[in-house]
């Protein structure tokens, strides 16, 4: 499963990229706002740090205007994935852009039927938001299972990008279901490395090593 980070914070992206485990980045207008940075400047910087797909979202709601914005966004770098919302205009835009070979991430997906439409529109990625579903008392991961089944039934190439990830259990479940990608906030990715028994075990090994008085040199 590929790991994308869901942020526009350059320091976080740089630090996680150094692990060699980061396959891409997703941004959205709220994350750009949170960064306090200029949209074009920050996205261009991210594209230089991470060679994998970097999602940059259109903010128009009508197809023609989405196409105009997408044309500007895809010129930022060759690894831009244009993000469009799951609306009729968004999917029309997706179809057009993917025919040209542009990567498209269809966002704000909340049902398996919506994911089916996105795959038919040729989306490179479909982003079902699991956390926001959980927030309203629904099991968001259930949609991921349904989408996996549908995409496998018809051999769709659209990658399932689990979004709105809130905790490590979402990551685990995504991997068990066979999602292609998950995008999580930096804090959730850092949590994946951690276990108290790892810390305690390391402390014990280092303390005992110290007692041997030896060196690896
Ligand atoms: C995905 O591309 C979105 O940016 C993101 O995962 C939304 O997550 P949120 O529900 O935590 O805002």
């Amino acid at each position: 499963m590929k790991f994308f980070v869901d942020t526009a914070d350059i320091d976080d992206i740089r630090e996680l990229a150094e692990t060699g485990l980061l396959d891409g980045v997703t941004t959205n207008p709220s994350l750009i706002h949170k960064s306090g940075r200029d949209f074009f400047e920050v996205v261009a910087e991210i594209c230089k740090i991470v060679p994998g797909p970097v999602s940059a979202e259109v903010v128009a709601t009508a197809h023609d205007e989405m196409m105009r914005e997408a044309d500007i966004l895809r010129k930022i770098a060759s690894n831009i994935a244009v993000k469009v919302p799951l609306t009729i205009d968004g999917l029309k835009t997706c179809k057009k852009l993917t025919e040209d070979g542009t990567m498209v991430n269809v966002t704000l997906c909340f049902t398996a039927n919506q994911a089916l439409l996105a795959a038919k529109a040729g989306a490179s990625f479909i982003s079902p938001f699991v956390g926001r579903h959980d927030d309203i008392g629904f099991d968001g991961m259930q949609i991921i299972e349904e989408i996996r089944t549908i995409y496998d039934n018809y051999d769709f190439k659209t990658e399932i990008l689990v979004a709105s990830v809130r905790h490590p259990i979402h990551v685990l479940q995504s991997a068990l279901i066979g999602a292609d990608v998950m995008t999580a906030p930096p804090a959730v990715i850092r949590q994946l490395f951690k276990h108290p028994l790892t810390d305690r075990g390391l402390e014990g090994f280092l303390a005992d090593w110290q007692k041997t008085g030896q060196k690896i040199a």
Side-chain angles (χ1 to χ4, degrees):
M1 186 168 71
K2 291 176 208 160
F3 275 35
F4 288 5
V5 64
D6 198 30
T7 187
D9 185 304
I10 292 289
D11 291 338
D12 278 329
I13 292 170
R14 217 184 287 281
E15 189 194 314
L16 290 167
E18 277 168 13
T19 65
L21 301 175
L22 199 58
D23 302 298
V25 179
T26 49
T27 69
N28 64 39
S30 306
L31 292 170
I32 297 294
H33 174 64
K34 195 173 162 195
S35 77
R37 300 268 318 265
D38 174 80
F39 179 37
F40 292 98
E41 221 178 80
V42 77
V43 169
E45 218 172 309
I46 296 170
C47 288
K48 282 194 192 126
I49 301 169
V50 181
V54 174
S55 293
E57 190 160 342
V58 298
V59 288
T61 52
H63 169 65
D64 288 349
E65 191 56 16
M66 280 185 189
M67 284 301 295
R68 196 190 63 76
E69 291 182 355
D71 203 40
I72 297 170
L73 295 179
R74 64 184 166 183
K75 285 184 185 130
I76 297 176
S78 58
N79 53 331
I80 284 285
V82 175
K83 215 178 189 189
V84 299
L86 209 152
T87 58
I88 292 183
D89 287 72
L91 292 189
K92 258 170 87 176
T93 306
C94 172
K95 183 100 177 70
K96 265 249 162 67
L97 290 172
T98 49
E99 278 167 8
D100 283 3
T102 301
M103 275 190 289
V104 178
N105 176 359
V106 177
T107 190
L108 291 167
C109 170
F110 290 93
T111 70
N113 273 338
Q114 287 181 315
L116 174 57
L117 292 172
K120 285 177 69 65
S124 321
F125 302 101
I126 181 67
S127 290
F129 279 34
V130 293
R132 293 193 193 188
H133 242 152
D134 291 356
D135 291 345
I136 59 160
F138 188 85
D139 177 13
M141 293 311 299
Q142 198 186 308
I143 305 291
I144 307 301
E145 278 182 32
E146 290 173 1
I147 301 172
R148 182 73 283 158
T149 303
I150 292 169
Y151 282 12
D152 289 347
N153 283 349
Y154 298 99
D155 203 21
F156 282 123
K157 299 294 175 234
T158 301
E159 294 188 46
I160 303 173
L161 195 176
V162 180
S164 187
V165 163
R166 300 266 200 266
H167 46 68
I169 304 294
H170 277 152
V171 180
L172 176 65
Q173 289 171 328
S174 301
L176 287 172
I177 292 167
D180 303 284
V181 194
M182 73 86 207
T183 189
V188 173
I189 296 183
R190 287 196 191 97
Q191 267 183 293
L192 299 174
F193 290 90
K194 300 293 285 179
H195 195 282
L197 291 180
T198 306
D199 295 343
R200 204 187 305 164
L202 184 60
E203 251 170 54
F205 287 153
L206 294 182
D208 288 340
W209 178 251
Q210 197 97 44
K211 288 176 208 155
T212 70
Q214 299 179 54
K215 276 201 165 63
I216 300 178

